[in-house]
Amino acid sequence: MDIIASARAAGLESLTEHDAKKLIKAYDVPITPEQVVQDADAALAAAQQIGYPVALKATGAKLLHKTEHKAIRLGIDDDDELRQAADELLAADIPGREGLLVQKMIGEGRELLVGMTRDPQFGPVVAFGLGGVFTEILKDVALRVAPLDKVDALEMIDQIRGRKILDEFRGMPAVDRDRLAQILINVGTLALELPDVAELDINPLMIGPEGPLAVDALVRLTPQATDE
């Protein structure tokens, strides 16, 4: 895939968030509307095209932990707020920043985790669980070795302790489990077809009124062989 080949040619060990999302979109995982820009004027144009509210992030292939670097601004409602946020992020000392990501702000919904790692013994393993801040706190995750069929994926969904969050909740309809299961199957397929992907982390996969959307995504690549 061209995205991975370009990253390899540049000697990168991971993809930018935007490239990671393009990769999973190719496997039918829905992503947020977004654009990468280089300055405040371009950010304004992108936001007006995407529609407010938006989120603004510093982005770069080596900028993996944006929260730690205070590189995210959320809930931006108009041009004035966006210009201020863009000026702040461009002026800040953020290691690895290559540009700005203007992203549609997704409203209230369930935050889930979908991921993939490679186990030395079993190979690619797909993960599903609660996302957002609950990922590290609750560690409520189900795992299956790829490839997955629909039975495997539905079992994963029902295996997590917090599965009731997928039912009808606070006026929100129940999550479409068949659609969610297909995303897990597709991530398993990605893992098998793209051996250069060492790790994939979609967190959160937001389930809102528009259905599932990948709000953030991280892809790490396998180490490249070196000539002795």
Side-chain angles (χ1 to χ4, degrees):
M1 183 165 280
D2 290 346
I3 294 172
I4 293 176
S6 296
R8 289 294 201 199
L12 298 174
E13 298 176 348
S14 57
L15 303 182
T16 66
E17 177 181 336
H18 186 57
D19 282 346
K21 287 177 178 172
K22 288 195 291 187
L23 191 71
I24 62 175
K25 184 180 180 181
Y27 283 83
D28 201 24
V29 178
I31 65 172
T32 50
E34 60 188 40
Q35 293 183 34
V36 176
V37 299
Q38 297 299 320
D39 57 42
D41 288 340
L44 288 175
Q48 290 165 1
Q49 182 176 351
I50 293 169
Y52 289 103
V54 298
L56 187 69
K57 306 174 181 178
T59 186
K62 297 181 180 179
L63 179 53
L64 303 183
H65 302 292
K66 301 181 187 68
T67 302
E68 295 177 6
H69 295 290
K70 300 179 180 179
I72 301 175
R73 301 292 187 272
L74 302 176
I76 299 171
D77 290 320
D78 57 40
D79 287 357
D80 291 339
E81 289 184 22
L82 181 59
R83 182 172 291 281
Q84 180 179 345
D87 289 342
E88 288 175 357
L89 292 180
L90 291 170
D93 181 16
I94 301 175
R97 185 192 63 223
E98 299 171 4
L100 300 174
L101 181 67
V102 183
Q103 174 183 317
K104 181 69 177 175
M105 189 80 194
I106 305 302
E108 185 177 359
R110 286 93 152 184
E111 294 189 357
L112 303 175
L113 160 74
V114 176
M116 185 280 295
T117 57
R118 294 189 185 276
D119 182 89
Q121 182 174 0
F122 297 106
V125 177
V126 178
F128 170 75
L130 298 182
V133 298
F134 295 112
T135 300
E136 295 184 4
I137 295 173
L138 299 179
K139 301 185 186 303
D140 189 5
V141 177
L143 303 172
R144 289 290 187 285
V145 176
L148 274 65
D149 60 20
K150 188 171 182 179
V151 172
D152 296 324
L154 290 173
E155 284 180 353
M156 291 178 70
I157 293 169
D158 285 332
Q159 185 178 338
I160 63 170
R161 299 190 303 276
R163 58 187 175 275
K164 285 190 175 298
I165 199 174
L166 305 176
D167 297 338
E168 188 174 341
F169 177 69
R170 291 190 174 181
M172 294 185 287
V175 171
D176 183 342
R177 294 183 181 224
D178 288 344
R179 181 74 184 94
L180 192 54
Q182 189 59 53
I183 289 174
L184 297 175
I185 294 168
N186 294 351
V187 167
T189 302
L190 180 155
L192 292 171
E193 293 184 349
L194 301 178
D196 287 307
V197 176
E199 179 183 342
L200 167 64
D201 189 12
I202 306 170
N203 188 11
L205 178 77
M206 184 75 80
I207 310 293
E210 300 176 358
L213 285 172
V215 173
D216 201 349
L218 170 67
V219 168
R220 296 181 192 273
L221 302 177
T222 54
Q224 295 194 71
T226 57
D227 297 330
E228 294 183 358

